[in-house]
Amino acid sequence: MSPAGAKRNLLSIVDLEHDLLALLQRSHEMKQARRRGDRSPTRPGTNLAMIFEKPSTRTRTSFEVAMNDLGGHALYLSPKDMQLGRGETIGDTARVLSQYVDAIVYRAFRHADEVALAAGASVPVINALDDREHPCQIVADLLTLYERWDGKFAGRKLAYVGDGNNVLNSLMLGAALVGLHLTSAIPSKYRPPADLVKQAELLAKASGGSIQFTERPLDAARGADALYTDVWVSMGDEAEKDARETAFQGYQINADLVAAAHPDVWVLHDLPAHRGMEITDEVMDGPRAAIWDQAQNRLHAQKAILELFLPPGRPG
Ligand code: CP
Ligand code: NVA
């Protein structure tokens, strides 16, 4: 939690440490309310700037619809149309935007730029994915499991198969916060950074969870309550495409992995998927996939996140 009076940012899922369970419950309530036709317009008159350096389908749309539901307004800003693209600094951009809007969502190539924007802004900055984390995605993922497991994470086994990327980094920290037992099957070269693994291990120790690694997907999947995968080639890694597609052969969620898991297993993927690579069509379109509800949950999770980070009324 930030010091009293200091503005908060959401750069890592750990920034939600003390709010995560309440946030999941609030997201769930907002989902139920929306189904009854109540869109929860709890932040009327607020404005959100959204800077996207990379493509997005889910994150952009769900943030924009979330702001509309909350009674506010979202502006989509592409660096190529901004003075950022002509050399204006991130710090100066942050300082100016802070005078117009109540929060800034930022999808960046580099985590360092995310930190620079947060340092220069006097309003909250929310990480919409960078090369280190994807915290908003993991709130939606945990919501998907929370709803299927009646809000109880203790003792549940989660298996991740594939690349040790931004999604796995946030998943690892998020799983550790809620006390899940996470085993990740990743080729050793592609494991997450040591500092993040250490941080997750410490959090897991406190929550009763655990963080483990293997190079054998079947070992990770055995008895798992949930299976999770993400693309082998993330945005920004395109130059390594051939090497990665070779290294990740066999790191696929398919019928064999689902059969090795618990019979009530749920399969997750943050999307977009490369069908036939990290996951098969059969599993994506099969009865154990929670993937489509997971994508829907981006909207409900983001509404609860925005409600937490936006002031309850137009600031002076
Ligand atoms: N999962 C996710 O962040 O998707 P987008 O890249 O479409 O936003
Ligand atoms: N790991 C992927 C996630 C996309 C939502 C990427 O960074 O491209």
Side-chain angles (χ1 to χ4, degrees):
M1 184 73 85
S2 314
K7 65 120 179 170
R8 290 180 65 185
N9 301 302
L10 173 48
L11 302 190
S12 164
I13 187 135
V14 180
D15 293 328
L16 293 172
E17 182 169 4
H18 302 288
D19 301 290
L20 192 50
L21 290 176
L23 197 65
L24 297 178
Q25 181 55 29
R26 180 64 181 143
S27 309
H28 178 68
E29 283 165 14
M30 286 174 132
K31 182 176 181 177
Q32 301 300 110
R34 200 173 199 271
R35 287 183 173 162
R36 294 192 304 270
D38 171 7
R39 299 205 164 187
S40 310
T42 60
R43 293 296 180 267
T46 53
N47 289 295
L48 179 72
M50 309 193 303
I51 306 173
F52 277 75
E53 290 179 2
K54 309 186 205 184
S56 169
T57 297
R58 282 143 287 271
T59 310
R60 175 190 173 176
T61 312
S62 54
F63 265 117
E64 200 158 328
V65 172
M67 278 305 284
N68 195 50
D69 276 14
L70 292 171
H73 179 70
L75 299 99
Y76 175 78
L77 301 168
S78 164
K80 70 178 187 319
D81 301 325
M82 299 169 74
Q83 299 290 7
L84 252 184
R86 296 183 55 249
E88 186 168 19
T89 67
I90 290 177
D92 289 352
T93 304
R95 195 165 165 178
V96 171
L97 289 181
S98 295
Q99 299 180 93
Y100 306 138
V101 302
D102 303 295
I104 305 171
V105 158
Y106 186 23
R107 172 166 285 194
F109 275 100
R110 292 167 4 113
H111 183 70
D113 291 342
E114 195 84 49
V115 172
L117 192 83
S122 57
V123 297
V125 170
I126 298 173
N127 182 352
L129 180 149
D130 60 29
D131 57 356
R132 188 169 168 93
E133 281 207 49
H134 195 2
C136 299
Q137 175 69 52
I138 273 48
V139 178
D141 303 342
L142 292 176
L143 173 61
T144 308
L145 297 175
Y146 180 89
E147 292 180 330
R148 281 163 176 72
W149 296 340
D150 295 325
K152 297 184 186 71
F153 293 111
R156 294 284 190 175
K157 288 171 66 180
L158 170 62
Y160 178 90
V161 176
D163 183 23
N165 60 18
N166 46 7
V167 167
L168 188 265
N169 291 343
S170 291
L171 184 71
M172 190 173 65
L173 295 166
L177 284 173
V178 301
L180 287 170
H181 297 286
L182 172 64
T183 304
S184 301
I186 303 175
S188 58
K189 182 179 171 197
Y190 295 97
R191 281 191 188 178
D195 63 319
L196 285 179
V197 174
K198 183 89 206 144
Q199 189 182 11
E201 284 171 348
L202 288 172
L203 291 168
K205 203 168 171 196
S207 67
S210 60
I211 302 294
Q212 290 183 306
F213 292 94
T214 174
E215 289 187 60
R216 292 189 288 271
L218 259 177
D219 286 354
R222 207 160 283 126
D225 298 294
L227 298 173
Y228 196 127
T229 190
D230 183 24
V231 289
W232 296 340
V233 184
S234 285
M235 293 179 278
D237 290 338
E238 289 82 1
E240 300 172 17
K241 184 173 180 289
D242 291 347
R244 285 174 164 272
E245 287 181 2
T246 303
F248 289 110
Q249 284 305 316
Y251 287 81
Q252 180 189 63
I253 296 191
N254 52 32
D256 289 345
L257 244 60
V258 173
H262 190 282
D264 295 330
V265 68
W266 291 110
V267 177
L268 301 178
H269 191 311
D270 54 292
L271 302 177
H274 283 74
R275 287 168 174 261
M277 307 279 255
E278 76 276 4
I279 190 165
T280 59
D281 284 333
E282 187 184 6
V283 174
M284 273 198 84
D285 300 323
R288 300 319 304 169
I291 294 168
W292 312 106
D293 189 40
Q294 179 188 2
Q296 184 200 146
N297 279 344
R298 295 296 309 275
L299 171 61
H300 311 298
Q302 246 119 248
K303 281 172 73 172
I305 291 169
L306 287 168
E307 194 181 62
L308 183 66
F309 280 82
L310 288 170
R314 194 191 289 272

